[in-house]
Amino acid sequence: MGTEISEPLILDKESIDDGAGIESELVPEWKDQITIRGLVVSALLGTLFCIITHKLNLTVGIIPSLNVGAGLLGFFFVKSWTGFLTKLGFQVSPFTKQENTVIQTCVVACYGLAFSGGFGSYMIAMDERTYKLIGADYPGNRAEDIKNPGLGWMTGFLFVVSFLGLFSLTPLRKSTAQFFLGLSYRGVSSGPSFLHMPVIGTLLAWKAIILKAFMGTRYSEIFYAFASVTVVKSFDGSVRHLLVFIAIALILGDGLYNLIKIIYISAKEMCNKSTKQSKLPIVNEVIDNESSKVLAEQRKRDDIFLKDRIPTWFAASGYVALAAISTATIPIIFPPLKWYLVLVSYIIAPALAFCNSYGTGLTDWNLSSTYGKIGLFIIASLVGSDGGVMAGLAACGVMMSIVSTAADLMQDFKTGYLTLSSAKSMFVSQLLGTAMGCVIAPLTFWMFWTAFEVGSPDGPYKAPYAVIFREMAILGIEGFSELPNHCLALCFGFFIGAVLVNLLRDVTPKEISQFIPIPMAMAVPFYIGAYFAVDMFVGTVILFIWERINQKEAEDYAGAVASGLICGDGIWTIPSAILSILRINPPICMYFGPSLSS
């Protein structure tokens, strides 16, 4: 039986309608997408969002995504400015969506360093105040492992570590950015949610009992640092930490599998590039107007996305040069972190950066702090008691910066693809935004540091994660002996399981594989609780019913509905952050709990 070709592999240009719509849209050159007014607005918004991020980081320790707000505020400011100048009689260049995308990219890169820079976590964990809070008599808490914040060394540290992530995944730009175009959606909650509903709580409690019975009860405090504050509260503390390790195994298994898969596909395409066109059939068939329009839009996006290429040699040489500078510089800032440990971190960092970018693309949840904690624990255990605390905290900063900026860049490439923005303008604007962040993030933090007693348990900015990170580094110097019983075996099992699930998804027909879960998406609720899964389930049910009622309408408008939900969710983070800064509590809060009789 012959193989039936259900759709054309290569389309003739004449077979696609070049009429109205996106195909005829005039797109400015990549240099024209980056403007002085856009950079000025980016710096102002970056400063504002850095202040908001520091405030939240030093109080509750949870940072919502502000990228939607950055894009909307950027549009508002530039549109208002151009409108004002036009009324005064000045001639100004039109404000384009590509320029707005550049502004959003710069702002996200800038305020992202306020989080990945560790100003509320690993960097504050090094200071004398945190050392005293833990206690001088605490085993492993040495007075030698202290480095108080300083504007000079913090700025220099950010400059030498923050740019590497931008070069780590650029060679895979074409594959990864298109690979991450499938989005999942998450809910944002800072208080009681579906997590506390009796049915869900009962199921999770039974899971905890089963895991605890298998694993035993010998656990270390180190796992409290791994567990997010939003992880299931009904779990026993020791079981809660196991879930985090299982999630890490799932994430790494899924991410590394897809990294190898993309490298294999890219290499295969490069080998077949010379003969590809001659072997594939050219299909000249009549396509209806609707399909023609969709194909024309896709071709336009592809052409623009691939037009301004970032040479692979440039990305590779940039990464090597920056890694060499960083390897030589970081041991000067943090002597316990030897140069060869920094070099090893940069060798494995691109693989972890891909895993984080892949997870962020699927779930919109950046888990850079998790990868930073992995680096912290490993380096602290390798160095040992003589300087392991400082080396582990510094390594945490190195890893967080790389995987976080890499994920941001891939998200920007995805946004640029959808808005017909040049990949080169996205890359340059990310560089400029990162440079802004290396200066603005330390300066805005220094305002808090000099005006308040940051880290004081009696002050308004307690920096709750500082003590957690330092204690985790102290316990990390004990090595893998502190892991729970069978923890490594469980991690290995779930790692292999994630690989096998991906293989199963690839070898089964689409009609079956669409019902096989993605390991990365399965892992995220282990961190943030059941409300994530509930939100995903509700959205999936709505879309499933919509497709059954009117599949064509669902295909046309599902993206618009999803965008509306994401924008509404993203916009709310700004007033929510302002209310949190002003310490205004909600007037009513619903909570499910056990009755008094129980």
Side-chain angles (χ1 to χ4, degrees), residues 131 134-141:
Y131 161 77
I134 295 177
D137 57 345
Y138 191 91
N141 190 29

Side-chain angles (χ1 to χ4, degrees), residues 540-552 554-555 558:
T540 302
V541 169
I542 294 174
L543 182 60
F544 179 81
I545 296 174
W546 194 2
E547 289 175 342
R548 292 301 176 272
I549 296 175
N550 191 328
Q551 184 173 0
K552 183 64 170 62
E555 291 177 355

Side-chain angles (χ1 to χ4, degrees), residues 94-113:
F95 182 49
T96 64
K97 60 185 180 183
Q98 289 81 15
E99 184 180 356
N100 193 58
T101 304
V102 167
I103 293 175
Q104 178 178 336
T105 300
C106 279
V107 175
V108 171
C110 181
Y111 87 80
L113 290 183

Side-chain angles (χ1 to χ4, degrees), residues 46-56 114 444 447-448 581:
T47 302
L48 172 63
F49 284 172
C50 277
I51 294 174
I52 294 176
T53 301
H54 286 316
K55 167 67 181 182
L56 296 177
T444 49
M447 295 168 49
F448 287 90
I581 291 174

Side-chain angles (χ1 to χ4, degrees), residues 149-168:
L151 195 57
W153 75 259
M154 290 190 304
T155 304
F157 178 72
L158 289 182
F159 266 107
V160 297
V161 302
S162 299
F163 292 91
L164 280 97
L166 304 181
F167 292 88
S168 59

Side-chain angles (χ1 to χ4, degrees), residues 191-198 233-234 588-595:
S193 64
F194 283 108
L195 175 62
H196 302 93
M197 291 186 67
K233 303 297 186 297
S234 61
I588 187 173
C589 187
M590 183 174 64
Y591 180 83
F592 293 94
S595 62

Side-chain angles (χ1 to χ4, degrees), residues 36 47 173 190 200 225 236 254 280 322 341 349 357 375 392 397 406 438 450 456 518 552 576:
I36 299 297
T47 302
R173 170 180 60 90
S190 56
I200 296 177
D236 179 85
D254 193 3
L280 295 178
L322 290 172
L341 295 177
S357 300
C438 289
T450 55
S456 173
I518 300 174
K552 183 64 170 62
S576 177

